[in-house]
Amino acid sequence: AQSVTQPDIHITVSEGASLELRCNYSYGATPYLFWYVQSPGQGLQLLLKYFSGDTLVQGIKGFEAEFKRSQSSFNLRKPSVHWSDAAEYFCAVGAHHQGAQKLVFGQGTRLTINP
Amino acid sequence: EPEVTQTPSHQVTQMGQEVILRCVPISNHLYFYWYRQILGQKVEFLVSFYNNEISEKSEIFDDQFSVERPDGSNFTLKIRSTKLEDSAMYFCASRYGIPNQPQHFGDGTRLSIL
């Protein structure tokens, strides 16, 4: 069965510091991988996606993620965080079934930014 | 940019009552989904819907749940007889028809069962 693990429940970084959020997945085929962000009281906003091709993908708000098949990982990075990046971040894998592609989410990582 | 819209934003219901959560997916999307997030837990898949029928459903989606696309724009989730454990945030999502397109989510409906 498909699964996603986000090992860090909560991360605190200082504004301007670099950020890396970890994500490991388990999926039998070539995965579709996603990072979503959820601000308090808001829905899930897509940050970036990987379907195929270049393993380093760029997203919105200056985020990027790298797909490493050998490590079954899809870590999210940002070189310099801003206070507005404080939110919950979810990694997800798209599991295919008759084209419908349900998402299997990780537990989420809550990001706190220190001023 | 087109959005998925969900109503109401917050629904309070007595246990045992029926509740209908409503969603308007993005207009040219073909796949529709419901997910839920119990407070403090991960987002969980409930059901996917395509071509007017359920494509896949999870173990959570038992006989108390149903989905419907009653017209060309709305997509609804009905819980027939609510339980306390149905209290959660429910998210609707939609996706365009080709495989390499992501799901777009609404802001969710917070369902509180008393």
Side-chain angles (χ1 to χ4, degrees), chain A residues 18-56:
Chain A
S18 64
L19 171 71
E20 182 169 32
L21 302 183
R22 296 183 290 164
C23 171
N24 292 95
Y25 68 91
S26 173
Y27 186 60
T30 300
Y32 290 173
L33 295 162
F34 308 84
W35 276 98
Y36 285 86
V37 61
Q38 183 182 32
S39 298
Q42 301 294 310
L44 296 162
Q45 182 183 22
L46 178 70
L47 282 177
L48 47 76
K49 60 187 186 291
Y50 171 78
F51 289 104
S52 64
D54 193 347
T55 56
L56 184 64

Side-chain angles (χ1 to χ4, degrees), chain A residues 36 43 51 97 99-101 103, chain B residues 33 35 56 95 99-100 103 107:
Chain A
Y36 285 86
F51 289 104
H97 180 80
Q101 196 197 102
L103 293 178
Chain B
Y33 307 82
Y35 294 82
E56 186 178 3
R95 185 172 69 84
N100 65 348
Q103 294 178 30
D107 283 344

Side-chain angles (χ1 to χ4, degrees), chain B residues 50-78:
Chain B
Y50 171 71
N51 200 25
N52 280 320
E53 61 182 27
I54 290 174
S55 304
E56 186 178 3
K57 59 184 181 180
S58 71
E59 293 176 354
I60 304 167
F61 195 89
D62 61 21
D63 292 343
Q64 296 297 317
F65 290 86
S66 62
V67 289
E68 192 178 31
R69 189 155 162 80
D71 53 43
S73 60
N74 291 284
F75 179 51
T76 62
L77 174 69
K78 181 192 293 186

Side-chain angles (χ1 to χ4, degrees), chain A residues 1-6 23-33 50 67-74 91-93 104:
Chain A
Q2 311 86 15
S3 66
V4 175
T5 302
Q6 293 180 246
C23 171
N24 292 95
Y25 68 91
S26 173
Y27 186 60
T30 300
Y32 290 173
L33 295 162
Y50 171 78
F67 169 56
K68 293 185 178 179
R69 185 187 300 274
S70 61
Q71 298 177 18
S72 297
S73 70
F74 189 57
C91 181
V93 63
V104 176

Side-chain angles (χ1 to χ4, degrees), chain B:
Chain B
E1 185 176 328
E3 293 183 339
V4 176
T5 57
Q6 291 185 243
T7 55
S9 56
H10 190 192
Q11 174 81 45
V12 181
T13 301
Q14 291 287 332
M15 186 173 60
Q17 295 297 305
E18 176 184 285
V19 66
I20 296 176
L21 309 183
R22 303 183 190 278
C23 170
V24 179
I26 295 173
S27 62
N28 63 346
H29 284 190
L30 300 179
Y31 292 89
F32 313 111
Y33 307 82
W34 285 101
Y35 294 82
R36 80 172 185 190
Q37 184 182 30
I38 295 172
L39 188 63
Q41 298 186 23
K42 66 172 67 176
V43 178
E44 302 173 287
F45 168 78
L46 290 178
V47 66
S48 59
F49 191 85
Y50 171 71
N51 200 25
N52 280 320
E53 61 182 27
I54 290 174
S55 304
E56 186 178 3
K57 59 184 181 180
S58 71
E59 293 176 354
I60 304 167
F61 195 89
D62 61 21
D63 292 343
Q64 296 297 317
F65 290 86
S66 62
V67 289
E68 192 178 31
R69 189 155 162 80
D71 53 43
S73 60
N74 291 284
F75 179 51
T76 62
L77 174 69
K78 181 192 293 186
I79 309 175
R80 193 169 61 211
S81 178
T82 50
K83 309 182 186 71
L84 293 176
E85 55 264 37
D86 293 328
S87 295
M89 180 74 91
Y90 287 79
F91 292 106
C92 174
S94 69
R95 185 172 69 84
Y96 190 52
I98 55 179
N100 65 348
Q101 290 298 310
Q103 294 178 30
H104 295 262
F105 284 79
D107 283 344
T109 293
R110 179 164 298 285
L111 178 62
S112 299
I113 307 300
L114 305 180

Side-chain angles (χ1 to χ4, degrees), chain A residues 65-87:
Chain A
E66 186 170 13
F67 169 56
K68 293 185 178 179
R69 185 187 300 274
S70 61
Q71 298 177 18
S72 297
S73 70
F74 189 57
N75 294 347
L76 182 71
R77 299 195 293 251
K78 186 170 184 177
S80 175
V81 298
H82 186 261
W83 63 267
S84 60
D85 293 325

